[in-house]
Amino acid sequence: MGVGPIEAALEDILKEYSDEFQHNLEKVCKSVANDCANELKQTPPSGDSDSDHYRDGWRAVKESVGGHVNYTVANQNKPGLTHLLANGHVVSNGHGSYGRTQANPHIANAEQKYVSEYLRRIDTEL
């Protein structure tokens, strides 16, 4: 049994709506990820001697997973430093450790803010 003209027309309408929705969702995701990366560039943790290099490394990275587009905010210049700065770490002087640096949860603060912003924009714009 074949698909009738009404079913075919409905299928086309739903496909068009789905494509438009996916496109708009990708735009919102990209915008929020870029905003988050820009905020992380503006608020680097203090006390880092390579802070300019660390600060300038924040990017919104586009990834395609299972046919869907995702954006991840990551530091491309110093990816391993993000964990050390956010959580603190042992400081060594070559003769053993002599303390810990203070944790600076700058990434978690931006993440919470922009997850909320992403959800708000989905509710209002889509």
Side-chain angles (χ1 to χ4, degrees):
M1 184 169 174
V3 177
I6 293 175
E7 289 87 0
L10 283 173
E11 196 172 294
D12 289 343
I13 290 169
L14 289 174
K15 171 89 170 94
E16 183 179 322
Y17 174 77
S18 176
D19 290 346
E20 182 179 335
F21 180 82
Q22 192 67 29
H23 175 73
N24 290 337
L25 183 62
E26 183 180 336
K27 282 176 33 180
V28 168
C29 187
K30 180 180 181 179
S31 174
V32 171
N34 283 328
D35 290 347
C36 183
N38 288 333
E39 180 168 315
L40 286 167
K41 286 179 182 181
Q42 300 301 316
T43 58
S46 61
D48 180 23
S49 61
D50 287 335
S51 63
D52 288 345
H53 191 63
Y54 176 78
R55 182 191 67 225
D56 294 338
W58 289 105
R59 304 279 187 277
V61 181
K62 182 178 180 179
E63 302 171 328
S64 184
V65 178
H68 298 286
V69 174
N70 295 324
Y71 284 85
T72 301
V73 177
N75 192 300
Q76 291 185 330
N77 292 348
K78 300 240 180 199
L81 189 56
T82 59
H83 176 81
L84 296 174
L85 293 174
N87 299 302
H89 58 90
V90 173
V91 180
S92 176
N93 63 2
H95 302 289
S97 63
Y98 64 88
R100 290 189 62 83
T101 63
Q102 186 174 5
N104 185 337
H106 62 292
I107 300 168
N109 295 340
E111 177 187 21
Q112 290 173 356
K113 177 181 177 180
Y114 285 99
V115 165
S116 297
E117 175 65 10
Y118 178 68
L119 295 173
R120 185 194 67 75
R121 287 188 59 186
I122 287 174
D123 283 344
T124 59
E125 295 178 25
L126 302 180

